[in-house]
Amino acid sequence: MTAFSIDTIRVAYIRSLREKAAGRGGAAQEELTLARIRESNANSTRVEMANLEKAKQLIDVSTIEPVLRNLAAQANTSILAAGAKIVEAVESKYGIRLGEDDVSAPLGASLRDLADYPRELARALGEDGGGVSAS
């Protein structure tokens, strides 16, 4: 059996403590590595988001939701007006009398189906990080 002096044991112990404190050994090594990976990923995401925002490639959900609502309102008005024009055209061309609901009811049902789309899209985008690529 080899005998070690107390000084040799003390130096080895101090080296071991230094290695563990520097994150190169011990049970905390895995936790420290995972924490460093999380920090690195968070920093990368933050930098990527900042770059996308500077390049005008990122749209905030609070910005896009009103735009989509306005688009839906304009589509609603335009489609209902087209329905009225279709009724007029059929009546004048074919002499067929259509009730207002014959065209407007199916169009209205379709438009109601679409009415919640901006809110649903904004919610989905918010769950995915709060932004959407503009390209």
Side-chain angles (χ1 to χ4, degrees), residues 70-105:
N70 188 36
L71 176 65
Q74 289 176 352
N76 185 48
T77 301
S78 179
I79 290 170
L80 290 176
K85 288 178 184 177
I86 290 169
V87 169
E88 278 181 35
V90 168
E91 288 179 351
S92 69
K93 187 172 184 178
Y94 300 106
I96 299 171
R97 177 85 176 117
L98 294 174
E100 194 62 34
D101 287 346
D102 291 335
V103 175
S104 65

mmCIF file of all heavy atoms in Angstrom, residues 70-105:
data_model
loop_
_atom_site.group_PDB
_atom_site.id
_atom_site.type_symbol
_atom_site.label_atom_id
_atom_site.label_comp_id
_atom_site.label_asym_id
_atom_site.label_seq_id
_atom_site.Cartn_x
_atom_site.Cartn_y
_atom_site.Cartn_z
ATOM 1 N N ASN A 70 -60.082 44.471 -39.372
ATOM 2 C CA ASN A 70 -60.489 45.433 -40.391
ATOM 3 C C ASN A 70 -60.681 44.726 -41.735
ATOM 4 O O ASN A 70 -61.650 44.995 -42.450
ATOM 5 C CB ASN A 70 -59.446 46.550 -40.502
ATOM 6 C CG ASN A 70 -59.905 47.668 -41.408
ATOM 7 O OD1 ASN A 70 -61.081 48.012 -41.437
ATOM 8 N ND2 ASN A 70 -58.976 48.235 -42.153
ATOM 9 N N LEU A 71 -59.775 43.836 -42.067
ATOM 10 C CA LEU A 71 -59.899 43.069 -43.309
ATOM 11 C C LEU A 71 -61.197 42.267 -43.314
ATOM 12 O O LEU A 71 -61.918 42.238 -44.311
ATOM 13 C CB LEU A 71 -58.701 42.139 -43.484
ATOM 14 C CG LEU A 71 -58.736 41.199 -44.679
ATOM 15 C CD1 LEU A 71 -58.699 41.979 -45.981
ATOM 16 C CD2 LEU A 71 -57.589 40.214 -44.604
ATOM 17 N N ALA A 72 -61.500 41.634 -42.195
ATOM 18 C CA ALA A 72 -62.728 40.837 -42.096
ATOM 19 C C ALA A 72 -63.963 41.725 -42.245
ATOM 20 O O ALA A 72 -64.927 41.353 -42.919
ATOM 21 C CB ALA A 72 -62.765 40.084 -40.765
ATOM 22 N N ALA A 73 -63.946 42.909 -41.640
ATOM 23 C CA ALA A 73 -65.084 43.823 -41.748
ATOM 24 C C ALA A 73 -65.272 44.296 -43.192
ATOM 25 O O ALA A 73 -66.395 44.349 -43.699
ATOM 26 C CB ALA A 73 -64.888 45.020 -40.818
ATOM 27 N N GLN A 74 -64.161 44.610 -43.848
ATOM 28 C CA GLN A 74 -64.243 45.027 -45.250
ATOM 29 C C GLN A 74 -64.738 43.892 -46.138
ATOM 30 O O GLN A 74 -65.553 44.104 -47.044
ATOM 31 C CB GLN A 74 -62.879 45.522 -45.735
ATOM 32 C CG GLN A 74 -62.498 46.852 -45.135
ATOM 33 C CD GLN A 74 -61.099 47.287 -45.551
ATOM 34 O OE1 GLN A 74 -60.356 46.549 -46.165
ATOM 35 N NE2 GLN A 74 -60.760 48.514 -45.208
ATOM 36 N N ALA A 75 -64.265 42.680 -45.875
ATOM 37 C CA ALA A 75 -64.720 41.520 -46.644
ATOM 38 C C ALA A 75 -66.212 41.303 -46.422
ATOM 39 O O ALA A 75 -66.960 41.010 -47.368
ATOM 40 C CB ALA A 75 -63.932 40.281 -46.249
ATOM 41 N N ASN A 76 -66.657 41.441 -45.195
ATOM 42 C CA ASN A 76 -68.075 41.286 -44.866
ATOM 43 C C ASN A 76 -68.934 42.250 -45.686
ATOM 44 O O ASN A 76 -69.901 41.843 -46.334
ATOM 45 C CB ASN A 76 -68.273 41.533 -43.363
ATOM 46 C CG ASN A 76 -69.691 41.280 -42.917
ATOM 47 O OD1 ASN A 76 -70.274 40.260 -43.250
ATOM 48 N ND2 ASN A 76 -70.234 42.211 -42.147
ATOM 49 N N THR A 77 -68.566 43.512 -45.673
ATOM 50 C CA THR A 77 -69.312 44.530 -46.418
ATOM 51 C C THR A 77 -69.311 44.230 -47.911
ATOM 52 O O THR A 77 -70.357 44.275 -48.579
ATOM 53 C CB THR A 77 -68.699 45.922 -46.154
ATOM 54 O OG1 THR A 77 -68.759 46.189 -44.752
ATOM 55 C CG2 THR A 77 -69.432 47.007 -46.909
ATOM 56 N N SER A 78 -68.147 43.910 -48.435
ATOM 57 C CA SER A 78 -68.007 43.652 -49.867
ATOM 58 C C SER A 78 -68.797 42.421 -50.311
ATOM 59 O O SER A 78 -69.488 42.443 -51.338
ATOM 60 C CB SER A 78 -66.525 43.478 -50.208
ATOM 61 O OG SER A 78 -66.352 43.211 -51.566
ATOM 62 N N ILE A 79 -68.744 41.364 -49.537
ATOM 63 C CA ILE A 79 -69.438 40.120 -49.903
ATOM 64 C C ILE A 79 -70.960 40.299 -49.823
ATOM 65 O O ILE A 79 -71.689 39.834 -50.702
ATOM 66 C CB ILE A 79 -68.943 38.945 -49.030
ATOM 67 C CG1 ILE A 79 -67.504 38.606 -49.430
ATOM 68 C CG2 ILE A 79 -69.847 37.735 -49.155
ATOM 69 C CD1 ILE A 79 -66.793 37.640 -48.515
ATOM 70 N N LEU A 80 -71.433 40.973 -48.783
ATOM 71 C CA LEU A 80 -72.871 41.213 -48.683
ATOM 72 C C LEU A 80 -73.371 42.111 -49.820
ATOM 73 O O LEU A 80 -74.455 41.892 -50.358
ATOM 74 C CB LEU A 80 -73.239 41.789 -47.324
ATOM 75 C CG LEU A 80 -73.098 40.811 -46.152
ATOM 76 C CD1 LEU A 80 -73.397 41.515 -44.830
ATOM 77 C CD2 LEU A 80 -73.979 39.582 -46.331
ATOM 78 N N ALA A 81 -72.567 43.103 -50.210
ATOM 79 C CA ALA A 81 -72.939 43.963 -51.335
ATOM 80 C C ALA A 81 -72.965 43.153 -52.630
ATOM 81 O O ALA A 81 -73.851 43.329 -53.476
ATOM 82 C CB ALA A 81 -71.961 45.130 -51.458
ATOM 83 N N ALA A 82 -71.995 42.239 -52.781
ATOM 84 C CA ALA A 82 -71.983 41.376 -53.968
ATOM 85 C C ALA A 82 -73.224 40.490 -53.990
ATOM 86 O O ALA A 82 -73.810 40.243 -55.054
ATOM 87 C CB ALA A 82 -70.718 40.525 -53.984
ATOM 88 N N GLY A 83 -73.660 40.018 -52.838
ATOM 89 C CA GLY A 83 -74.872 39.202 -52.755
ATOM 90 C C GLY A 83 -76.088 39.968 -53.242
ATOM 91 O O GLY A 83 -76.920 39.435 -53.989
ATOM 92 N N ALA A 84 -76.191 41.235 -52.837
ATOM 93 C CA ALA A 84 -77.308 42.071 -53.278
ATOM 94 C C ALA A 84 -77.259 42.283 -54.792
ATOM 95 O O ALA A 84 -78.291 42.249 -55.478
ATOM 96 C CB ALA A 84 -77.286 43.410 -52.546
ATOM 97 N N LYS A 85 -76.057 42.453 -55.336
ATOM 98 C CA LYS A 85 -75.898 42.626 -56.788
ATOM 99 C C LYS A 85 -76.267 41.338 -57.539
ATOM 100 O O LYS A 85 -76.854 41.400 -58.623
ATOM 101 C CB LYS A 85 -74.468 43.033 -57.124
ATOM 102 C CG LYS A 85 -74.149 44.449 -56.717
ATOM 103 C CD LYS A 85 -72.704 44.798 -57.014
ATOM 104 C CE LYS A 85 -72.375 46.188 -56.498
ATOM 105 N NZ LYS A 85 -70.968 46.528 -56.719
ATOM 106 N N ILE A 86 -75.951 40.202 -56.971
ATOM 107 C CA ILE A 86 -76.306 38.916 -57.589
ATOM 108 C C ILE A 86 -77.827 38.771 -57.648
ATOM 109 O O ILE A 86 -78.391 38.371 -58.666
ATOM 110 C CB ILE A 86 -75.657 37.735 -56.824
ATOM 111 C CG1 ILE A 86 -74.148 37.739 -57.034
ATOM 112 C CG2 ILE A 86 -76.269 36.396 -57.251
ATOM 113 C CD1 ILE A 86 -73.382 36.794 -56.129
ATOM 114 N N VAL A 87 -78.489 39.117 -56.542
ATOM 115 C CA VAL A 87 -79.951 39.043 -56.503
ATOM 116 C C VAL A 87 -80.539 39.948 -57.589
ATOM 117 O O VAL A 87 -81.417 39.538 -58.359
ATOM 118 C CB VAL A 87 -80.496 39.427 -55.108
ATOM 119 C CG1 VAL A 87 -82.009 39.614 -55.136
ATOM 120 C CG2 VAL A 87 -80.108 38.353 -54.084
ATOM 121 N N GLU A 88 -80.068 41.185 -57.677
ATOM 122 C CA GLU A 88 -80.540 42.119 -58.705
ATOM 123 C C GLU A 88 -80.309 41.572 -60.114
ATOM 124 O O GLU A 88 -81.195 41.637 -60.967
ATOM 125 C CB GLU A 88 -79.808 43.460 -58.583
ATOM 126 C CG GLU A 88 -80.358 44.384 -57.548
ATOM 127 C CD GLU A 88 -79.567 45.694 -57.532
ATOM 128 O OE1 GLU A 88 -79.116 46.167 -58.593
ATOM 129 O OE2 GLU A 88 -79.415 46.245 -56.431
ATOM 130 N N ALA A 89 -79.113 41.043 -60.361
ATOM 131 C CA ALA A 89 -78.771 40.541 -61.698
ATOM 132 C C ALA A 89 -79.649 39.355 -62.083
ATOM 133 O O ALA A 89 -80.147 39.271 -63.216
ATOM 134 C CB ALA A 89 -77.298 40.148 -61.741
ATOM 135 N N VAL A 90 -79.861 38.421 -61.173
ATOM 136 C CA VAL A 90 -80.697 37.241 -61.470
ATOM 137 C C VAL A 90 -82.130 37.679 -61.731
ATOM 138 O O VAL A 90 -82.779 37.198 -62.667
ATOM 139 C CB VAL A 90 -80.608 36.207 -60.320
ATOM 140 C CG1 VAL A 90 -81.676 35.134 -60.455
ATOM 141 C CG2 VAL A 90 -79.228 35.591 -60.260
ATOM 142 N N GLU A 91 -82.633 38.578 -60.893
ATOM 143 C CA GLU A 91 -84.016 39.042 -61.070
ATOM 144 C C GLU A 91 -84.200 39.769 -62.394
ATOM 145 O O GLU A 91 -85.178 39.556 -63.110
ATOM 146 C CB GLU A 91 -84.430 39.932 -59.899
ATOM 147 C CG GLU A 91 -84.649 39.153 -58.623
ATOM 148 C CD GLU A 91 -85.032 40.033 -57.432
ATOM 149 O OE1 GLU A 91 -84.971 41.285 -57.530
ATOM 150 O OE2 GLU A 91 -85.391 39.465 -56.377
ATOM 151 N N SER A 92 -83.259 40.633 -62.762
ATOM 152 C CA SER A 92 -83.429 41.397 -64.006
ATOM 153 C C SER A 92 -83.159 40.543 -65.244
ATOM 154 O O SER A 92 -83.826 40.703 -66.261
ATOM 155 C CB SER A 92 -82.532 42.633 -64.007
ATOM 156 O OG SER A 92 -81.183 42.272 -64.113
ATOM 157 N N LYS A 93 -82.216 39.644 -65.174
ATOM 158 C CA LYS A 93 -81.865 38.837 -66.349
ATOM 159 C C LYS A 93 -82.856 37.711 -66.593
ATOM 160 O O LYS A 93 -83.223 37.431 -67.728
ATOM 161 C CB LYS A 93 -80.455 38.276 -66.196
ATOM 162 C CG LYS A 93 -79.950 37.565 -67.440
ATOM 163 C CD LYS A 93 -78.492 37.199 -67.304
ATOM 164 C CE LYS A 93 -77.988 36.585 -68.591
ATOM 165 N NZ LYS A 93 -76.577 36.264 -68.534
ATOM 166 N N TYR A 94 -83.287 37.045 -65.524
ATOM 167 C CA TYR A 94 -84.131 35.854 -65.682
ATOM 168 C C TYR A 94 -85.577 36.067 -65.231
ATOM 169 O O TYR A 94 -86.412 35.168 -65.353
ATOM 170 C CB TYR A 94 -83.519 34.665 -64.932
ATOM 171 C CG TYR A 94 -82.136 34.312 -65.428
ATOM 172 C CD1 TYR A 94 -81.011 34.632 -64.672
ATOM 173 C CD2 TYR A 94 -81.964 33.676 -66.656
ATOM 174 C CE1 TYR A 94 -79.743 34.316 -65.123
ATOM 175 C CE2 TYR A 94 -80.699 33.363 -67.117
ATOM 176 C CZ TYR A 94 -79.586 33.691 -66.345
ATOM 177 O OH TYR A 94 -78.332 33.378 -66.821
ATOM 178 N N GLY A 95 -85.861 37.196 -64.662
ATOM 179 C CA GLY A 95 -87.216 37.459 -64.201
ATOM 180 C C GLY A 95 -87.614 36.596 -63.020
ATOM 181 O O GLY A 95 -88.801 36.401 -62.758
ATOM 182 N N ILE A 96 -86.653 36.086 -62.309
ATOM 183 C CA ILE A 96 -86.926 35.249 -61.132
ATOM 184 C C ILE A 96 -86.865 36.139 -59.893
ATOM 185 O O ILE A 96 -85.904 36.872 -59.689
ATOM 186 C CB ILE A 96 -85.881 34.111 -61.008
ATOM 187 C CG1 ILE A 96 -85.913 33.206 -62.217
ATOM 188 C CG2 ILE A 96 -86.104 33.326 -59.725
ATOM 189 C CD1 ILE A 96 -84.777 32.203 -62.246
ATOM 190 N N ARG A 97 -87.862 36.034 -59.069
ATOM 191 C CA ARG A 97 -87.891 36.820 -57.829
ATOM 192 C C ARG A 97 -87.222 36.009 -56.730
ATOM 193 O O ARG A 97 -87.655 34.910 -56.381
ATOM 194 C CB ARG A 97 -89.353 37.134 -57.469
ATOM 195 C CG ARG A 97 -89.518 37.859 -56.188
ATOM 196 C CD ARG A 97 -89.363 39.377 -56.410
ATOM 197 N NE ARG A 97 -89.622 40.072 -55.163
ATOM 198 C CZ ARG A 97 -88.711 40.797 -54.538
ATOM 199 N NH1 ARG A 97 -87.510 40.946 -55.039
ATOM 200 N NH2 ARG A 97 -89.025 41.408 -53.419
ATOM 201 N N LEU A 98 -86.133 36.545 -56.200
ATOM 202 C CA LEU A 98 -85.421 35.879 -55.096
ATOM 203 C C LEU A 98 -85.729 36.614 -53.798
ATOM 204 O O LEU A 98 -85.766 37.842 -53.767
ATOM 205 C CB LEU A 98 -83.914 35.901 -55.328
ATOM 206 C CG LEU A 98 -83.375 35.111 -56.518
ATOM 207 C CD1 LEU A 98 -81.886 35.357 -56.673
ATOM 208 C CD2 LEU A 98 -83.641 33.631 -56.335
ATOM 209 N N GLY A 99 -85.905 35.826 -52.765
ATOM 210 C CA GLY A 99 -86.056 36.428 -51.445
ATOM 211 C C GLY A 99 -84.686 36.920 -50.981
ATOM 212 O O GLY A 99 -83.650 36.416 -51.391
ATOM 213 N N GLU A 100 -84.688 37.927 -50.137
ATOM 214 C CA GLU A 100 -83.430 38.493 -49.638
ATOM 215 C C GLU A 100 -82.566 37.412 -48.969
ATOM 216 O O GLU A 100 -81.349 37.419 -49.097
ATOM 217 C CB GLU A 100 -83.745 39.622 -48.652
ATOM 218 C CG GLU A 100 -82.570 40.499 -48.308
ATOM 219 C CD GLU A 100 -81.977 41.252 -49.508
ATOM 220 O OE1 GLU A 100 -82.715 41.641 -50.424
ATOM 221 O OE2 GLU A 100 -80.751 41.434 -49.515
ATOM 222 N N ASP A 101 -83.209 36.480 -48.299
ATOM 223 C CA ASP A 101 -82.471 35.433 -47.585
ATOM 224 C C ASP A 101 -81.914 34.338 -48.497
ATOM 225 O O ASP A 101 -81.055 33.573 -48.074
ATOM 226 C CB ASP A 101 -83.357 34.776 -46.521
ATOM 227 C CG ASP A 101 -83.584 35.687 -45.331
ATOM 228 O OD1 ASP A 101 -82.855 36.690 -45.206
ATOM 229 O OD2 ASP A 101 -84.487 35.386 -44.532
ATOM 230 N N ASP A 102 -82.402 34.244 -49.727
ATOM 231 C CA ASP A 102 -81.920 33.192 -50.630
ATOM 232 C C ASP A 102 -80.413 33.301 -50.868
ATOM 233 O O ASP A 102 -79.733 32.286 -51.025
ATOM 234 C CB ASP A 102 -82.659 33.252 -51.977
ATOM 235 C CG ASP A 102 -84.112 32.853 -51.843
ATOM 236 O OD1 ASP A 102 -84.443 32.101 -50.895
ATOM 237 O OD2 ASP A 102 -84.922 33.303 -52.683
ATOM 238 N N VAL A 103 -79.902 34.486 -50.899
ATOM 239 C CA VAL A 103 -78.462 34.689 -51.123
ATOM 240 C C VAL A 103 -77.779 35.168 -49.843
ATOM 241 O O VAL A 103 -76.706 34.684 -49.481
ATOM 242 C CB VAL A 103 -78.220 35.687 -52.280
ATOM 243 C CG1 VAL A 103 -76.738 36.004 -52.435
ATOM 244 C CG2 VAL A 103 -78.779 35.142 -53.584
ATOM 245 N N SER A 104 -78.400 36.112 -49.158
ATOM 246 C CA SER A 104 -77.733 36.704 -47.994
ATOM 247 C C SER A 104 -77.594 35.734 -46.819
ATOM 248 O O SER A 104 -76.630 35.833 -46.062
ATOM 249 C CB SER A 104 -78.443 37.976 -47.544
ATOM 250 O OG SER A 104 -79.744 37.684 -47.090
ATOM 251 N N ALA A 105 -78.525 34.804 -46.660
ATOM 252 C CA ALA A 105 -78.435 33.858 -45.529
ATOM 253 C C ALA A 105 -77.197 32.961 -45.638
ATOM 254 O O ALA A 105 -76.434 32.846 -44.674
ATOM 255 C CB ALA A 105 -79.705 33.028 -45.419
#
